[in-house]
Amino acid sequence: MSNVEDNRANRAGTPEHGAADSLSSAANPGSSAADSRSSAADSGPGSTNPRPGSTNPRPSAAGPRDSATSPQYGVLREVTPFASVVLAENPGVMTLEGTNTWVLRAPGSPTCAVVDPGPLDRAHLDRVAACGPVDAVLLTHGHPDHSEGARAFGELVNAPVHAVTRSLGTAALSDGDVIEAGGLEIRALATPGHTDDSISFLTRDAVLTGDTILGRGTTVLDGKLGDYLATLKTLAALPGGTTVLPGHGPELPDVVAVAQAYLKHREERLAQVRAAVEHLGGAPTARQVVELVYADVDRSLWPAAEWSVRSQLEYLGLSPDGTAPVL
């Protein structure tokens, strides 16, 4: 979904990620149109209506999951020797199969860190809590599909919740901060663009990207395009072979390759928006640009695309509302 501080994060109907953007005719790194129909905000089963007092056994371990098969909900799946994932049962057009809740633990460590507890689904939170004890809870950004259950989870496991947006957590989080948890050193890396409060986490040879980079498709922007382009360049400068542990979709083997593909996609999309503005003339609205650039995309995805187009028009110095230019 999207979020600018606390404002847009809680606005009903706000898009979460990049279904519309990744379904368009522009370059779409690593996905087909069918694959990248990712998810509508908070639409999946289990994303709300927690069941107070419910208990769940520790998730059973599982081997690697083929993303083409049915999702394995409630299962702790090992991805690297220090990172495992529990998939929240909140699938949809914008969340792909659901939100990835990451459990980080150095081999032999009795404790762990949890990244993005996910929606306020008590069954899911109980499953993740059973992986504890938990030293720290970390949030990649403030969208409800990642953060809604964070405070309840922090109370459940008696651990601090680190978040850029202070109202979402109980502990501050800034670029460069190092959190020691689960026997690991986890370094915060500011990666704004998808939202203003987006942050990634580096540990060992992996980066947890939240919705800044998805496991499939591309992401919708509710932040600033200039920030996002700078973020992609930062990620592209990480060591080659750094594994991407995303907020949705499967893990990816090399953040450098993906970030470079995302940059290419954004450049092509920006060229399409420029061309649409010239074709429409005057000061077109974001909606008018979407109707032209995304003409071959399912209209149900246009609201998500409109958020990205708004960011692109602002980047070009134009008003997304068809009024005076942005100064």
Side-chain angles (χ1 to χ4, degrees):
M1 179 163 134
S2 47
N3 150 321
V4 177
E5 262 316 292
D6 287 320
N7 249 348
R8 299 182 188 172
N10 298 315
R11 184 178 299 174
T14 304
E16 293 193 12
H17 321 299
D21 211 37
S22 57
L23 277 173
S24 65
S25 57
N28 179 17
S31 69
S32 67
D35 281 344
S36 52
R37 287 183 68 93
S38 12
S39 67
D42 304 313
S43 62
S47 60
T48 55
N49 303 321
R51 298 179 300 181
S54 63
T55 58
N56 291 277
R58 182 169 182 152
S60 57
R65 176 173 60 82
D66 182 345
S67 62
T69 64
S70 298
Q72 295 177 331
Y73 296 111
V75 173
L76 181 68
R77 180 173 67 89
E78 182 176 301
V79 175
T80 77
F82 58 87
S84 299
V85 64
V86 181
L87 181 62
E89 197 170 351
N90 62 334
V93 177
M94 301 295 269
T95 54
L96 298 174
E97 295 89 351
T99 300
N100 291 331
T101 295
W102 290 97
V103 178
L104 306 179
R105 186 195 313 267
S109 173
T111 61
C112 67
V114 170
V115 179
D116 289 349
L120 188 56
D121 174 2
R122 185 55 187 263
H124 175 68
L125 299 182
D126 283 345
R127 292 185 191 109
V128 178
C131 299
V134 178
D135 289 332
V137 182
L138 311 176
L139 292 181
T140 61
H141 64 296
H143 287 162
D145 58 317
H146 295 258
S147 68
E148 185 183 40
R151 279 187 172 269
F153 183 76
E155 293 173 0
L156 181 64
V157 300
N158 192 28
V161 178
H162 298 262
V164 172
T165 301
R166 289 299 301 272
S167 62
L168 297 174
T170 59
L173 184 64
S174 301
D175 182 48
D177 285 355
V178 175
I179 297 95
E180 295 186 0
L184 298 168
E185 287 191 352
I186 304 166
R187 181 164 66 89
L189 177 67
T191 50
H194 170 67
T195 62
D196 285 353
D197 69 346
S198 287
I199 199 161
S200 297
F201 299 104
L202 294 163
T203 187
R204 299 205 172 175
D205 58 352
V207 57
L208 294 97
T209 56
D211 292 347
T212 296
I213 287 181
L214 303 179
R216 187 166 63 251
T218 57
T219 196
V220 160
L221 299 185
D222 193 19
K224 301 177 181 66
L225 178 57
D227 288 345
Y228 190 60
L229 295 176
T231 281
L232 292 176
K233 291 174 183 176
T234 296
L235 293 173
L238 292 177
T242 298
T243 301
V244 178
L245 306 179
H248 301 275
E251 60 276 7
L252 300 171
D254 184 9
V255 70
V256 175
V258 180
Q260 289 174 343
Y262 267 48
L263 278 166
K264 182 174 184 290
H265 168 72
R266 288 294 163 187
E267 290 167 358
E268 292 176 348
R269 171 64 71 240
L270 195 58
Q272 289 181 330
V273 170
R274 281 196 187 98
V277 169
E278 291 177 4
H279 175 80
L280 292 166
T285 64
R287 178 68 178 199
Q288 289 172 318
V289 174
V290 166
E291 290 172 356
L292 185 61
V293 174
Y294 293 84
D296 59 342
V297 173
D298 189 320
R299 291 192 177 199
S300 67
L301 300 176
W302 282 6
E306 191 169 342
W307 284 102
S308 285
V309 169
R310 291 178 70 88
S311 294
Q312 289 160 328
L313 290 174
E314 288 171 354
Y315 180 77
L316 294 172
L318 302 172
S319 168
D321 301 312
T323 55
V326 177
L327 300 178

